[in-house]
Amino acid sequence: MQVNAEQIVDVLRQVTPDLLRWSGAIAKRMRTFNVALEGKHSGNANTDALTLADLTVQELVIAGLRDRAPLLRHCRIEAEEANGDLGAFAEESPLSIALDPIDGTKYFKDKTGNGYAVMIHLRTRDEVLYSLVYAPEDGATGTWTQAYGNVVKSGADDFSVNAFDCLEQMPAIDPARRPDSKKIYLIGFQKNDPANAAQVTAAGLHGYAPDDMPASIYPLLATGAFGGSLIHTPNIYDYPVSFQLARLLGGDSVWVHNGERVNFSETWMDDRADMLRLPGIVATADSPAKLKILCDLARDWSGVRYPE
């Protein structure tokens, strides 16, 4: 069956808000217990953190996508963990639904901050068509970030209405009135995250290593509190949301070594972390000027994630 991208986006807009709100509530409750698991061995704590909440949230969201909208089964599914009824979805399709059940698992597990989120997106080989991020402990009631069409939204959840209506009532962000931030998030450079963040600052922007991040990057980027990111070999489950946000806000997302826009066909399996990644270093920013600074700075940095 040939699927229509606009129809899939409409369906996702209808069914994913409830699923992510419920999942966020479960994750928030599970966080009060010791739910840490073993499973990933890349050597980087940000990558290797795994909890029972990751598996529980993924089980719920995958089942919800399968049961609430059978049309979605004609899309491919890409999920960071291996559980859930992944076989219910198409093996081949031009449309991929990707899920990160707990983005920011290290902070979730260690209770060092509230910048974790449940997130989902829809993409083709070249474009990201829909994104939804729910950060359940960002603020008093949690924070939504949503993107589709030409629309970017970000704001507080409102439990007095259902999740879909909350997002429908939320005003869209006007890129022309959004703050122009020089703050750039860096991750994936292993032990060099802080040193490379300092180089970004020296280049005229303001680099932030993972341990210095005040919250999830997605609402920060959407609202203008941050201007972009610089990521070494980003994974395909969460990074594409930044790709979509940057493009809708007037910028782009490119490989630093050649300045070409990222596509999602050039992936590799990181067996140490058990996840699919893009090759090389990716710069994402809300303006061409910031992209140029990041590309000029990092063009000659090593694109090898695990140097021997």
Side-chain angles (χ1 to χ4, degrees):
M1 176 181 177
Q2 188 171 7
V3 292
N4 178 278
E6 291 184 3
Q7 187 177 12
I8 295 295
V9 169
D10 287 342
V11 171
L12 288 171
R13 286 181 57 205
Q14 292 287 332
V15 306
T16 54
D18 282 347
L19 289 176
L20 266 60
R21 182 192 267 180
W22 301 338
S23 298
I26 290 172
K28 183 177 178 179
R29 178 59 178 157
M30 292 185 74
R31 197 184 190 206
T32 64
F33 302 96
N34 180 11
V35 292
L37 299 172
E38 297 294 327
K40 298 182 180 181
H41 308 283
S42 75
N44 185 286
N46 289 306
T47 299
D48 292 344
L50 176 67
T51 73
L52 186 59
D54 293 84
L55 304 182
T56 303
V57 167
Q58 180 159 311
E59 195 80 27
L60 171 60
V61 176
I62 294 297
L65 295 173
R66 178 196 64 200
D67 294 346
R68 296 192 70 194
L71 182 66
L72 299 178
R73 299 186 190 191
H74 297 285
C75 300
R76 294 177 65 249
I77 195 83
E78 294 174 329
E80 185 166 347
E81 310 307 335
N83 66 298
D85 190 7
L86 304 178
F89 298 84
E91 291 186 9
E92 298 292 335
S93 173
L95 296 173
S96 296
I97 298 171
L99 169 68
D100 190 340
I102 303 286
D103 179 61
T105 305
K106 179 179 182 294
Y107 310 112
F108 175 90
K109 177 176 69 71
D110 296 344
K111 300 180 177 66
T112 53
N114 294 327
Y116 69 93
V118 185
M119 50 195 305
I120 196 167
H121 73 268
L122 175 74
R123 69 170 187 272
T124 65
R125 176 191 179 278
D126 298 306
E127 297 290 345
V128 181
L129 306 175
Y130 174 77
S131 297
L132 186 63
V133 180
Y134 183 56
E137 294 192 68
D138 184 15
T141 58
T143 296
W144 292 107
T145 302
Q146 185 185 54
Y148 62 92
N150 295 315
V151 175
V152 174
K153 296 183 177 184
S154 190
D157 197 9
D158 179 1
F159 296 143
S160 70
V161 296
N162 66 56
F164 173 80
D165 288 341
C166 175
L167 282 159
E168 287 296 288
Q169 296 166 12
M170 191 176 295
I173 291 171
D174 180 357
R177 303 181 64 181
R178 178 177 159 276
D180 183 19
S181 173
K182 293 184 177 181
K183 296 178 181 178
I184 304 294
Y185 172 48
L186 281 82
I187 194 170
F189 298 92
Q190 310 300 316
K191 296 179 181 179
N192 294 322
D193 283 332
N196 288 353
Q199 290 193 55
V200 170
T201 300
L205 299 174
H206 191 171
Y208 278 74
D211 288 345
D212 298 324
M213 285 296 291
S216 171
I217 181 58
Y218 309 102
L220 296 174
L221 179 58
T223 59
F226 267 63
S229 63
L230 191 63
I231 306 179
H232 197 297
T233 52
N235 72 60
I236 64 168
Y237 314 102
D238 53 39
Y239 149 75
V241 174
S242 293
F243 172 102
Q244 184 180 24
L245 292 174
R247 296 202 64 200
L248 292 178
L249 295 168
D252 214 332
S253 194
V254 302
W255 277 295
V256 298
H257 68 280
N258 59 14
E260 292 183 1
R261 178 178 295 157
V262 166
N263 67 70
F264 300 101
S265 64
E266 301 180 40
T267 61
W268 62 283
M269 173 55 72
D270 179 353
D271 292 324
R272 299 191 192 187
D274 194 24
M275 62 175 61
L276 285 170
R277 296 188 181 278
L278 294 172
I281 300 170
V282 172
T284 304
D286 56 10
S287 75
K290 293 171 194 171
L291 275 180
K292 185 178 187 307
I293 292 173
L294 294 173
C295 288
D296 288 347
L297 173 66
R299 182 172 290 115
D300 296 325
W301 291 3
S302 173
V304 179
R305 185 172 181 88
Y306 303 117
E308 300 300 334

